[in-house]
Amino acid sequence: MRRVVDSHDPYTEPDWSAFERLCVAVVNQRISTASAAAVRARVFDDVLDGDVTPESVLNADEDALRDAGLPASKVGYLRNVAEAFEADDLTREGLADLSNEAVRARLTEIPGVGDWTADTFLIFVLDRPDVLPLGDLAVRRGIERLYADGDDLTRAEMREVADAWRPYRSLATRYVWAAYEAAR
């Protein structure tokens, strides 16, 4: 890990609003980083014209969102997120006093938001220091590259590796992501 820390910057992501970051996480679900970035750019810049708000998502033309690369399911998920933000205070301030488990429970009530999406929100929006998102393929592959020369590890073995990172597993995860993306 020392090698990774010395050679990678874990803070290269834009400073998205809580809503934007949750939308980014939905777009990123189950597709490559490069594909996700391209779809996100088309949705945010072309369809929403840089105005990424619950209102703009709810008012966006469904065909335009699909033409930008979102499958119908993700169009629905983005709309679910927009409705949840309109109905509840899911901002940094609104969630600041809740435990990780309470935030995860609140977010996963939104159809289309699962544990992985909630974990990325905890890390990137709420800056929670000790989150380990083993639902993320890049994190798992990154840990395997760094600690097992690319050989498969079980999630239990990965949790054991990550125990040394406590109470800063979120920061270590950011480094693992950075190293993984740089090696691609």
Side-chain angles (χ1 to χ4, degrees), residues 3 12 20-21 24 36-37 44 66 90 110 139 153 156 163 179 182 184:
R3 228 175 344 118
T12 59
E20 289 170 322
R21 186 60 183 88
V24 168
F44 282 23
R66 297 212 40 217
L90 299 176
I110 304 167
V139 170
L153 293 174
D163 275 344
R184 296 188 77 212

Side-chain angles (χ1 to χ4, degrees), residues 14-180:
D15 187 27
W16 305 107
S17 72
F19 177 72
E20 289 170 322
R21 186 60 183 88
L22 197 52
C23 289
V24 168
V26 168
V27 170
N28 288 0
Q29 292 171 353
R30 300 179 186 260
I31 61 175
S32 73
T33 303
S35 295
V39 170
R40 190 226 13 99
R42 288 193 300 268
V43 169
F44 282 23
D45 300 337
D46 299 342
V47 178
L48 302 177
D49 200 27
D51 180 34
V52 185
T53 64
E55 298 79 20
S56 69
V57 168
L58 291 171
N59 292 327
D61 181 73
E62 183 171 343
D63 289 335
L65 291 169
R66 297 212 40 217
D67 289 345
L70 288 176
S73 59
K74 286 189 182 182
V75 170
Y77 298 160
L78 286 181
R79 291 207 163 130
N80 294 339
V81 167
E83 289 170 354
F85 266 79
E86 284 193 331
D88 199 358
D89 187 2
L90 299 176
T91 62
R92 288 175 173 96
E93 298 78 19
L95 299 172
D97 294 332
L98 298 180
S99 69
N100 289 356
E101 293 74 26
V103 171
R104 192 177 286 112
R106 204 144 151 201
L107 292 176
T108 57
E109 288 177 358
I110 304 167
V113 175
D115 288 334
W116 173 83
T117 304
D119 284 347
T120 61
F121 191 88
L122 287 164
I123 292 170
F124 291 105
V125 175
L126 299 181
D127 294 319
R128 299 296 172 91
D130 199 34
V131 178
L132 181 64
L134 290 181
D136 188 279
L137 181 63
V139 170
R140 292 194 314 271
R141 294 298 175 257
I143 291 171
E144 289 170 343
R145 281 184 186 167
L146 293 170
Y147 291 90
D149 293 325
D151 292 338
D152 290 344
L153 293 174
T154 66
R155 288 187 190 208
E157 290 169 324
M158 291 179 199
R159 277 190 280 284
E160 190 175 311
V161 165
D163 275 344
W165 305 340
R166 284 184 188 269
Y168 304 106
R169 292 182 300 174
S170 297
L171 179 58
T173 294
R174 285 175 170 254
Y175 276 109
V176 169
W177 268 320
Y180 179 81

